[in-house]
Amino acid sequence: MSCSCMLDRRLSIRQYGLLMQTDKKTPPSLETLTGLCKRRGFIFQSSEIYNGLNGFWDFGPLGTELKNNLRDAWWQDMVRNPPLGPDGEMLDIVGLDSAIIQNPLVWKASGHLGGFNDPMADCRESKARYRADHLMVYLPTSGEGTAYAFLEGEPAVAEKRIRKAKSDTANFSVVPFTDLPLDQIATVWGPDATKAGTLTEPRQFNLMFKTFIGAMSGEGEDNTAYLRPETAQGIFINYKNVVDTMRVKLPFGIAQVGKSFRNEVTPRNFIFRSREFEQMEMEWFCHPDEASKWYSFWVEARLQWWASLGVDMRNLRRRDHDEDELAHYSTACADVEYQYGFTAPGFGELEGIAHRGNFDLTQHQEASGVKLEYFNQETNERVLPHVIEPASGLTRGVLVLLNEAYTEEFVPKGDTGGDTLLAEPGSEAPEGYEKRIVLKFSPRLAPIKVAVFPLLKNREELVKKAKDIFAELRKTWPAFYDQAGAIGRRYRRQDEIGTPFCVTIDFDSLEDDTVTVRDRDSMRQYRIPVSELKSWLFEHINE
Ligand code: ATP
């Protein structure tokens, strides 16, 4: 086919809301994703029967499996079998599980007590609270009149107001709210207000949740403690324990997965920014002379890791921090960013890889008085290692997997396995086709690996054989048994939760001891002897 023909075909396909299978998928909206997550038991609003609690989410049965699978994949590829180093050498990374509540001195030394702040601005009228650094403002270029604030990426309300005031956005420049001189804040019309002048000046707000240890203290006694805002500090304060007990040699890593808590000013975008979340962090301790080599290595390795889970490279990008974004102790930092549905066409952070120098070990060494230098017996050298930190969100990673997996397709009616067409989310199926929603998780991450169906629920022999097979498969994989409804409907239910394989037991199975295995993505069906079923699944689930 000539190029122009192909283009014509693509255009006509587009007209009908279709995409080529190789096209980049249009990401689902947050409403679509939250709806699916609730309907199919992935993620629920926390405390829902009490009207929820802003910034907190509960993982349902399938969400828990998915999150555990992502956590296990990270642990496997980071701790048990890390990537080979830049010179093809094997790396040494060990695991840790530290307490959520630490001695408050930890947070003093790490700088979190003094500096883990976000600027916030309140609206006196609507009572809404904003991260001041997430607010942007349309500022009149004339220097006179009302300025219109909006949340980053959501300029529509402000633009509507500008049109209503018979003006044009061309007469404005867009500036961050935090850059405004204080006397100009009174001219700003907040996103949820009915008039200008209701936003407060930005104030610093510490993000750490406080709690109290033991019975209520006597007067003057301070028993305040904090829920950890990151897992990393638990690693630094155990660095010496690990060096003393594990015979690790520089360079080496310590990794940890666990809950972190941040009293975010504006939790939003589903599980992207919540107040309780999970992180997967690794601190890579190395000789100061080698730190920049390891920094480059880990930035690339982490990007590749997300791609290895099936995340489309076109949805991932590396963003190097500008110098003015870096913490004072850091010489470099890069984010792995992802194009979420709610950031498209822009990107949002998924993971940060920071070159932290020896800041953390220096701080803890000084504050605790305990020497944290590493002694190299071969060279008789003492060094305070430098640290490269790949820090990613486990719960944010789940959001990426859901975004990536969500697919709408048009399939020829009757589930005949003909050509399927990639659909724009929300578009209607053309004549002769029906829509299916499918979560295309890689089998490694899918919450349920295999579903088992008897063709008919009222034929005892079929049900018994199906249950026997189910009982055998669930010893090895998360499996699901379903005998309700037509087979096509049962396939669709599994498609929507991302189960890669469905096994059907029919009348031929009773005769020749074979079953049909149906592949989620191609919808192809294979006839497999029961004696080979486990090895077939093993091969395809682990490929
Ligand atoms: P952000 O700029 O989005 O607030 P951050 O740069 O403060 O994030 P880090 O402290 O580097 O984040 O934490 C590492 C990772 O932890 C982030 O890349 C993100 O995946 C995750 N994370 C941080 N804050 C939250 C949150 N409130 N909810 C969910 N995940 C989070």
Side-chain angles (χ1 to χ4, degrees), residues 55 112 116 118 131 133-134 207 229-230 260-264 267-268 270-281 306 321 333 335-336 340 348-354 356 389-397:
H112 284 85
F116 195 54
D118 274 341
R131 272 278 292 272
D133 55 335
H134 290 175
L207 295 187
E230 60 172 38
S260 292
F261 302 81
R262 295 183 188 179
N263 202 356
E264 297 280 358
R268 59 195 194 120
F270 195 26
I271 53 171
F272 177 81
R273 184 176 304 287
S274 46
R275 289 178 164 141
E276 175 176 344
F277 55 99
E278 282 177 76
Q279 291 184 304
M280 310 186 285
E281 297 195 290
W306 288 104
H321 284 209
C333 188
D335 289 343
V336 174
Y340 301 89
E349 180 175 334
L350 165 60
E351 169 160 354
I353 299 100
R356 300 184 62 87
E389 175 191 83
S392 62
L394 170 56
T395 35
R396 205 175 273 187

Side-chain angles (χ1 to χ4, degrees), residues 399-419:
L399 183 59
V400 167
L401 297 183
L402 286 163
N403 251 278
E404 252 333 91
Y406 185 89
T407 312
E408 289 188 18
E409 285 179 347
F410 298 140
V411 293
K413 277 194 174 144
D415 212 4
T416 51
D419 272 357

Side-chain angles (χ1 to χ4, degrees), residues 57-183:
W57 298 92
D58 293 340
F59 281 72
L62 296 182
T64 305
E65 292 285 348
L66 179 63
K67 177 158 67 67
N68 288 351
N69 291 345
L70 180 57
R71 176 200 66 192
D72 293 348
W74 187 87
W75 197 260
Q76 170 66 22
D77 298 343
M78 205 59 151
V79 181
R80 296 192 175 149
N81 182 31
L84 292 178
D87 302 320
E89 71 274 40
M90 282 205 275
L91 306 186
D92 202 3
I93 302 182
V94 295
L96 183 79
D97 188 2
S98 69
I100 284 173
I101 296 179
Q102 319 270 7
N103 188 315
L105 293 175
V106 170
W107 306 113
K108 193 160 174 229
S110 68
H112 284 85
L113 257 182
F116 195 54
N117 302 319
D118 274 341
M120 89 188 171
D122 287 320
C123 175
R124 283 183 285 260
E125 182 197 341
S126 68
K127 306 293 172 228
R129 174 163 284 181
Y130 309 100
R131 272 278 292 272
D133 55 335
H134 290 175
L135 279 179
M136 302 299 289
V137 176
Y138 273 114
L139 192 67
T141 35
S142 65
E144 305 263 301
T146 306
Y148 299 88
F150 61 94
L151 277 168
E152 226 169 7
E154 299 171 22
V157 180
E159 288 170 1
K160 200 167 153 200
R161 286 175 181 158
I162 290 172
R163 281 195 302 275
K164 233 177 154 185
K166 306 250 177 309
S167 187
D168 192 292
T169 50
N171 303 325
F172 292 79
S173 54
V174 176
V175 297
F177 179 73
T178 45
D179 283 2
L180 293 183
L182 292 184
D183 58 353

Side-chain angles (χ1 to χ4, degrees), residues 434-540:
E434 60 191 358
K435 182 185 282 189
R436 76 162 180 156
I437 295 174
V438 51
L439 293 184
K440 294 192 172 181
F441 296 124
S442 82
R444 183 184 190 195
L445 298 167
I448 307 275
K449 311 291 185 210
V450 54
V452 182
F453 313 146
L455 183 63
L456 299 169
K457 68 173 178 203
N458 52 6
R459 295 299 289 260
E460 214 177 292
E461 333 73 282
L462 293 177
V463 168
K464 178 172 183 322
K465 193 167 179 72
K467 284 194 170 163
D468 285 348
I469 290 175
F470 171 60
E472 190 50 39
L473 295 182
R474 74 190 302 194
K475 288 180 194 163
T476 310
W477 296 287
F480 189 84
Y481 176 83
D482 188 3
Q483 59 179 28
I487 284 287
R489 294 257 304 280
R490 285 183 253 172
Y491 284 152
R492 291 288 181 273
R493 286 201 288 263
Q494 294 306 313
D495 288 345
E496 231 194 350
I497 61 170
T499 306
F501 303 106
C502 294
V503 174
T504 302
I505 288 81
D506 56 19
F507 290 105
D508 285 346
S509 311
L510 303 176
E511 299 289 315
D512 59 8
D513 211 25
T514 62
V515 290
T516 299
V517 181
R518 185 257 199 187
D519 175 86
R520 177 196 66 199
D521 296 346
S522 66
M523 293 186 286
R524 258 190 225 123
Q525 304 197 356
Y526 303 88
R527 201 73 198 173
I528 312 277
V530 172
S531 58
E532 289 168 25
L533 182 59
K534 264 190 139 170
S535 57
W536 192 95
L537 286 171
F538 195 81
E539 195 182 310
H540 288 81

